[in-house]
Amino acid sequence: MPAITNHMPTAELQALDAAHHMHPFTAGGELAAKGARVITRAKGVWLTDSEGNQILDGMAGLWCVNIGYGRPELAEAAARQMRELPYYNTFFQTTHVPAIALADRIAALAPGDLNHVFFAGSGSEANDTNIRLVRTYWALKGKPSKSVILSRKNAYHGSSVGSGSLGGMAPMHAQGGLPIPDIHHINQPNWWAEGGDMTPEDFGLARAQELEQAILAHGEDRIAAFIAEPIQGAGGVIVPPSTYWPEIQRICDAYDILLIADEVICGFGRTGSWFGSQTLNIRPHIMTIAKGLSSGYQPIGGSVVCDEVASVIASAEFNHGYTYSGHPVASAVALENLRILEEEDIVGHVRTTAAPYLEKKWQALTDHPLVGEASIVGLMGSIALTPDKATRAKFAAEVGTVGLICRERCFANSLVMRHVGDRMVISPPLVIQPDEIDILVSRARAALDETYTALKDQNLLTPAH
Ligand code: PXG
């Protein structure tokens, strides 16, 4: 049986892929018809595909390759750890050095008294852990009725049954019987799409106050926690109005509930601070982490837990854990990733160089006829495509039709930019340099121009009523 390698013709790889590989969030028939793009190698912010194209990765993989591709130090850390101790578990009173060292490092970087880490293999697993952590916390405090978790529509917290229930994605809830009981969703602070005639500030306040209304409707004695991404990522990089988080924090302080900040995308430098909670001035009891923790070089995630919650959980046996909780190779790689982020001051590079440079160019895209708002915090940004900016109109065509055309035009211009409905999002590796930002924005503009022409040709510039 010949080996399947990078050197096989693309069409053969695509046929094998379609025959045996089931893809996440993909319509199988469409994939088989078109064939998947085969990525073969990557360096810095650049991907190479099986046809030899050089593509600028404006998404850092899936919002995760914070230090950029191709850092040999991480490969060496993995190889070293595999030789020394490829696997051991952290159950039943055992531990190992990589998990000890990584938890210590995360506790040092995390704000406030978030000093304890429960490891998982992904963000989804970590959020499943969080459901059990907060409910167990209240049960151990003698308040088992506090089991309801409030979340938000259009939030993304993962794809397992628990984390998918926390998320507020209607198409996900429609498959497989989600959400599980005692999870409820309030509205998101998406002013562009839902703010109507309100000012962003009034709208932000109103959407935050929905949390208070939900707490009062269910009763404070029923609410365990509120979970939210500091800035919604997969929902379309929705930057909340400035009034939103201060009001959410006030409400969380006023009632006896826990605040979980899902930092899976915002964490590890993405917003120009180590955590989005620092950029947005949030004081969570628990943070979900994954992605940038290892820059995606190994699958690892976790829950970072404050002193109070950790000490209550420690008062009994927590019947929860994953075979790969604190996996030594993933931990060693994450530790090396954090060393690079710190020693090369990559978070400082985002804050003082890359983000201000990108922000100026990104905002300038609003002069394009298709671009309504352009939002950006640190190195996560989005643009809202619209047929009429003055009224913030949606397109008459089904949501996502225009976004998909734009994504295709980005690919055609060798740029990876994702679409969320009719919003385009970017989240490049944090090591991106100004000359690469120039390329990113000029390719984005070319894609927007081509999208505009395509929409005109196909009569798709009509606004919805
Ligand atoms: N929380 C947040 C905020 C996320 O963005 C998860 C949890 C789940 O993490 P795992 O490691 O289980 O995938 C995520 C993941 C997209 C996209 O296309 C976003 C994610 C995952 C896959 C695709 O925007 N976010």
Side-chain angles (χ1 to χ4, degrees):
M1 178 94 159
I4 297 171
T5 72
N6 270 353
H7 305 293
M8 281 174 78
T10 302
E12 265 178 60
L13 289 168
Q14 288 172 328
L16 282 165
D17 180 67
H20 305 295
H21 180 193
M22 297 172 77
H23 288 246
F25 286 92
T26 302
E30 209 173 285
L31 181 86
K34 279 204 211 150
R37 184 178 291 261
V38 182
I39 304 299
T40 51
R41 48 178 51 85
K43 181 98 189 132
V45 302
W46 296 98
L47 306 169
T48 305
D49 71 10
S50 54
E51 299 291 290
N53 295 309
Q54 297 283 306
I55 305 160
L56 200 161
D57 186 3
M59 284 305 300
L62 279 179
W63 324 76
C64 56
V65 188
N66 288 14
I67 63 165
Y69 297 93
R71 292 295 301 244
E73 300 92 325
L74 273 64
E76 279 146 26
R80 225 175 14 247
Q81 188 57 47
M82 280 196 201
R83 288 195 194 97
E84 198 168 296
L85 180 71
Y87 177 76
Y88 202 71
N89 66 72
T90 53
F91 285 45
F92 317 132
Q93 300 255 314
T94 60
T95 192
H96 48 69
V97 172
I100 298 170
L102 182 60
D104 175 63
R105 204 64 233 121
I106 293 168
L109 292 170
D113 68 347
L114 294 162
N115 289 321
H116 314 268
V117 188
F118 193 104
F119 285 114
S122 66
S124 299
E125 285 182 5
N127 276 327
D128 275 21
T129 298
N130 289 340
I131 294 173
R132 306 197 65 212
L133 267 177
V134 298
R135 290 178 174 169
T136 305
Y137 168 81
W138 288 115
L140 288 169
K141 299 260 290 183
K143 296 181 177 175
S145 70
K146 281 174 82 72
S147 60
V148 171
I149 304 175
L150 297 173
S151 180
R152 303 183 297 184
K153 293 176 187 163
N154 199 34
Y156 190 83
H157 296 300
S159 203
S160 57
V161 172
S163 63
S165 297
L166 289 177
M169 299 287 179
M172 290 177 70
H173 289 181
Q175 295 175 332
L178 275 60
I180 57 171
D182 278 358
I183 294 179
H184 299 284
H185 301 83
I186 61 173
N187 282 306
Q188 58 171 336
N190 184 346
W191 175 79
W192 174 266
E194 300 173 3
D197 293 336
M198 294 175 96
T199 64
E201 290 71 28
D202 287 349
F203 175 74
L205 215 51
R207 283 288 156 101
Q209 284 162 358
E210 285 194 18
L211 176 61
E212 190 160 33
Q213 289 151 17
I215 294 169
L216 295 172
H218 292 278
E220 188 181 344
D221 60 335
R222 289 284 286 123
I223 308 292
F226 173 61
I227 182 168
E229 304 152 79
I231 296 165
Q232 287 154 263
V237 184
I238 310 298
V239 179
S242 61
T243 46
Y244 181 77
W245 270 110
E247 183 67 359
I248 291 282
Q249 185 66 59
R250 179 194 71 73
I251 295 164
C252 289
D253 291 345
Y255 298 91
D256 204 12
I257 69 169
L258 298 173
L259 173 59
I260 307 168
D262 186 336
E263 295 269 2
V264 168
I265 285 178
C266 293
F268 303 100
R270 175 64 52 201
T271 67
S273 318
W274 276 93
F275 296 96
S277 293
Q278 294 162 319
T279 302
L280 290 152
N281 219 358
I282 306 165
R283 296 186 311 281
H285 299 92
I286 297 174
M287 294 193 310
T288 320
I289 55 172
K291 295 193 190 277
L293 168 60
S294 66
S295 283
Y297 282 58
Q298 283 283 291
I300 185 166
S303 305
V304 193
V305 179
C306 70
D307 288 344
E308 152 73 8
V309 173
S311 79
V312 171
I313 293 293
S315 67
E317 181 166 335
F318 186 38
N319 298 317
H320 180 79
Y322 308 106
T323 301
Y324 301 132
S325 285
H327 190 286
V329 177
S331 296
V333 168
L335 205 54
E336 185 64 5
N337 172 62
L338 296 184
R339 184 191 68 73
I340 288 174
L341 280 172
E342 281 191 89
E343 285 184 11
E344 298 181 8
D345 191 22
I346 291 171
V347 184
H349 165 75
V350 173
R351 188 170 51 245
T352 59
T353 306
Y357 190 81
L358 175 59
E359 182 174 1
K360 224 164 86 214
K361 305 211 148 214
W362 195 248
Q363 296 290 359
L365 289 173
T366 50
D367 70 5
H368 193 279
L370 272 182
V371 177
E373 71 167 357
S375 306
I376 188 155
V377 174
L379 288 182
M380 58 194 293
S382 60
I383 49 185
L385 304 178
T386 176
D388 179 13
K389 344 182 167 203
T391 59
R392 310 206 307 271
K394 297 177 176 60
F395 293 94
E398 195 189 336
V399 176
T401 310
V402 172
L404 185 61
I405 293 172
C406 189
R407 190 191 73 181
E408 294 299 322
R409 297 328 304 158
C410 289
F411 262 146
N413 282 280
S414 294
L415 170 67
V416 177
M417 179 151 75
R418 209 164 102 39
H419 81 110
V420 176
D422 295 323
R423 274 184 101 86
M424 303 306 297
V425 299
I426 53 159
S427 162
L430 305 187
V431 294
I432 194 166
Q433 297 299 315
D435 59 329
E436 294 164 331
I437 290 174
D438 290 343
I439 299 172
L440 188 160
V441 177
S442 75
R443 288 184 183 180
R445 191 175 278 279
L448 286 166
D449 287 343
E450 291 171 21
T451 303
Y452 191 67
T453 307
L455 296 184
K456 261 206 296 210
D457 290 349
Q458 296 171 48
N459 263 329
L460 286 172
L461 276 171
T462 332
H465 292 300

